Amino acid sequence: MEKSKVKRFGILTSGGDAPGLNTAIRGVARTAIERFGMEVVGIQNGYRGLIQGNAREMSSQDFSGILTRGGTILGTSREKPFKNPVPDAEGKLPIHRIKENYQKWGLDALVVLGGNGTNTTGNLLAQEGLNVIGLPKTIDNDLVHTDVTFGFHTAVSIATEAIDRIHTTAHSHNRIMIMEVMGHKAGWLGLYAGVAGGGDVILLPEIPYNINSIARHLKKRRDEGKEFSIVVVAEGALSESEALMDKKTFKKSRQAMPYSIGYRVAHELEAATGLESRVTVLGYVQRGGTPVPYDRALATLFGTEAAHMLARGEFGKMVALQNGQAVGVPLEDVAGKIKKVQLDNQLLIAGREVGTCFGD
């Protein structure tokens, strides 16, 4: 076995689950155990388990047969130990408990698998003196300094298949069919699934929409004899008037909205066009199921690179894909930042070229 600077490390998954998590866990653990002889401590339910001391030693057998499994064998949570920390019954803050458990378990390092929040927390833990390596998991594909995150392509595949299926019923009933997809504050999932699924309208957070522009586009389609339309709406989509609001006002406005953005767009379009609309909200189905081959390959690549970074003692970094190569980027460069779709994105431009309306 090759020499390693890390003898024992903890691994956790945090935030929303995504296809490929188990594949990445397998990539890290198998490489770490079989090539470098490291010991692996599986931490349950994300940062909550790290705070509460919920973990167990794992062996190679624990990582067999999980390559194609969705979800995460370690469990997850959205625990944020640095956000509004509250002392426990003994007066200790979450960071104190984390450091205690890190030492009690004899860890040399911590591997955290997650999205923006997870890697932001990982950076804060690194600043507290822990040896941390992050892996980029999110169906939103919104982490900076990596070309893509694992989980994204599976979510695109699921959303695209749903749009394909909606086409048949839209054609049968001559309706506007609205498909709401995830993506948080970034439009990557809506853009890729919308273009791949032939969406006639795609609404993204990066392009505030004007309902009258959309209505004109849909009426033009009807006048051309096209009896149905597919509208793909990213969950973070917003109108031109909302784009002018300050953050506090916008948040208050959204909290008061009695339904999701897809339903609001449907009501607005019915009023503007007189055309009947129906809404499908894909929701958490986009997170589930077997990861597509690309995500399995990508998660394996990220996982094995993380194990090599552990062996080299290369801490305070997130594994990323840049120009087809797995590299380490500083966590501090990733923390708190969101990668958004730029208006000069080639796929967005391609969508416009084939006649897609983006609401502007």
Side-chain angles (χ1 to χ4, degrees):
M1 289 185 179
E2 295 183 34
K3 190 174 180 180
S4 170
K5 292 188 177 181
V6 167
K7 300 300 181 185
R8 184 177 171 89
F9 70 95
I11 185 169
L12 62 82
T13 56
S14 182
D17 65 312
L21 274 171
N22 285 326
T23 310
I25 292 168
R26 172 182 177 270
V28 178
R30 279 200 165 179
T31 308
I33 293 171
E34 296 174 15
R35 180 159 186 172
F36 299 106
M38 298 183 205
E39 297 175 351
V40 182
V41 176
I43 300 167
Q44 301 294 310
N45 303 320
Y47 289 117
R48 183 177 300 160
L50 189 57
I51 295 167
Q52 297 176 350
N54 186 5
R56 65 184 179 92
E57 300 224 12
M58 303 184 79
S59 66
S60 293
Q61 291 183 337
D62 291 304
F63 309 108
S64 295
I66 66 171
L67 174 70
T68 61
R69 235 158 108 185
T72 164
I73 61 170
L74 295 175
T76 186
S77 71
R78 294 190 180 276
E79 189 76 31
K80 297 179 179 179
F82 292 94
K83 187 175 182 179
N84 303 319
V86 177
D88 60 18
E90 296 180 13
K92 293 189 175 183
L93 292 171
I95 184 59
H96 299 143
R97 291 301 187 191
I98 287 172
K99 288 181 176 180
E100 284 180 359
N101 289 323
Y102 186 89
Q103 293 173 357
K104 182 176 73 174
W105 295 331
L107 303 183
D108 300 313
L110 186 66
V111 177
V112 300
L113 286 67
N116 186 276
T118 301
N119 284 283
T120 297
T121 297
N123 179 56
L124 293 172
L125 291 176
Q127 292 176 4
E128 290 286 338
L130 276 62
N131 295 327
V132 181
I133 293 173
L135 271 75
K137 170 276 314 173
T138 171
I139 68 168
D140 303 333
N141 195 38
D142 61 352
L143 279 166
V144 298
H145 298 302
T146 183
D147 296 340
V148 67
T149 59
F150 67 86
F152 172 65
H153 277 280
T154 303
V156 169
S157 179
I158 293 167
T160 302
E161 182 181 354
I163 296 169
D164 290 346
R165 292 176 182 274
I166 284 294
H167 267 280
T168 59
T169 190
H171 188 274
S172 299
H173 291 278
N174 301 332
R175 289 170 173 161
I176 298 173
M177 302 300 289
I178 295 173
M179 179 71 71
E180 182 183 318
V181 301
M182 285 181 159
H184 197 46
K185 296 179 181 179
W188 297 103
L189 183 52
L191 175 62
Y192 273 71
V195 171
D200 304 300
V201 178
I202 302 173
L203 303 184
L204 309 176
E206 295 86 352
I207 306 175
Y209 71 82
N210 181 308
I211 202 68
N212 293 320
S213 293
I214 303 169
R216 284 194 297 271
H217 182 76
L218 297 182
K219 287 178 180 178
K220 182 173 180 289
R221 283 179 52 80
R222 182 185 58 184
D223 294 341
E224 293 171 348
K226 298 170 183 176
E227 299 295 338
F228 72 93
S229 294
I230 304 293
V231 180
V232 178
V233 182
E235 65 180 349
L238 71 165
S239 67
E240 289 180 340
S241 60
E242 287 177 317
L244 299 175
M245 296 177 182
D246 59 63
K247 187 175 180 180
K248 185 176 180 181
T249 304
F250 176 76
K251 186 176 181 180
K252 187 176 181 180
S253 173
R254 279 300 171 93
Q255 288 175 338
M257 199 164 70
Y259 32 62
S260 67
I261 185 65
Y263 284 96
R264 191 185 76 183
V265 169
H267 292 314
E268 291 173 337
L269 284 178
E270 284 191 345
T273 66
L275 300 173
E276 190 177 12
S277 300
R278 290 291 184 271
V279 182
T280 299
V281 180
L282 279 184
Y284 292 105
V285 70
Q286 293 159 100
R287 295 189 182 279
T290 300
V292 297
Y294 180 87
D295 276 334
R296 295 181 218 173
L298 182 64
T300 299
L301 175 63
F302 282 159
T304 55
E305 179 61 20
H308 280 270
M309 288 169 66
L310 286 170
R312 295 193 298 264
E314 194 175 326
F315 307 123
K317 293 184 178 181
M318 182 190 80
V319 184
L321 188 73
Q322 295 181 353
N323 300 316
Q325 301 294 315
V327 299
V329 297
L331 281 168
E332 62 185 2
D333 291 348
V334 176
K337 298 181 179 70
I338 295 176
K339 180 180 70 178
K340 295 209 167 196
V341 177
Q342 299 300 309
L343 297 185
D344 61 353
N345 179 278
Q346 285 191 311
L347 186 59
L348 192 153
I349 293 171
R352 291 192 189 278
E353 292 288 343
V354 297
T356 305
C357 170
F358 285 89
D360 52 351

